[in-house]
Amino acid sequence: MKQLKNDNIIDESGCLIFANQCLQELYNKKEHYRHELNVKTTRLSGYNCSMEYTIKKFVQQGLQSLHIEINEHIATVQYHYTNIIIQQTYFAQNPNTNQIQSSLLII
């Protein structure tokens, strides 16, 4: 995304590709950790469903703050993306210097 931003090539398809790559990376990590957990729990003697439930609850509680942080990043990306689209649309209308100056005062 930084490269796209530096090149001023931010469009919907570029953002979608980036988002899909991030989702794929997260999915791969999730599967890796799920496999790692399965391997480690099969080695434990006395591991049962109650322990698994407790671990899941503990992890879910820890992920709540991470979920809030991720939502914050998503909202920030959406805001900046929308802002860039609005700016591009505005400048595509070829505003004159006075219009640009007055729009800067509004911001």
Side-chain angles (χ1 to χ4, degrees), residues 10-37:
I10 297 179
D11 61 356
E12 191 173 332
S13 64
C15 289
L16 186 59
I17 290 168
F18 175 73
N20 284 331
Q21 289 172 346
C22 289
L23 288 172
Q24 184 63 45
E25 184 179 328
L26 286 173
Y27 176 79
N28 292 343
K29 284 182 181 181
K30 180 189 80 164
E31 290 303 311
H32 169 75
Y33 290 125
R34 183 182 306 269
H35 175 71
E36 193 174 306
L37 177 65

Side-chain angles (χ1 to χ4, degrees), residues 7 25 28 48 59 67 78-79 87 97 101:
D7 294 341
E25 184 179 328
N28 292 343
N48 58 35
V59 170
H67 183 70
Q78 288 174 333
Y79 170 80
Q87 287 177 2
T97 306
Q101 288 298 324

Side-chain angles (χ1 to χ4, degrees), residues 71-106:
N71 283 341
E72 178 184 320
H73 287 293
I74 290 170
T76 302
V77 168
Q78 288 174 333
Y79 170 80
H80 288 295
Y81 176 75
T82 303
N83 190 38
I84 289 169
I85 295 299
I86 290 170
Q87 287 177 2
Q88 289 175 347
T89 304
Y90 176 73
F91 286 112
Q93 301 299 317
N94 297 319
N96 63 38
T97 306
N98 290 336
Q99 291 170 324
I100 293 172
Q101 288 298 324
S102 63
S103 68
L104 292 175
L105 294 175
I106 295 171

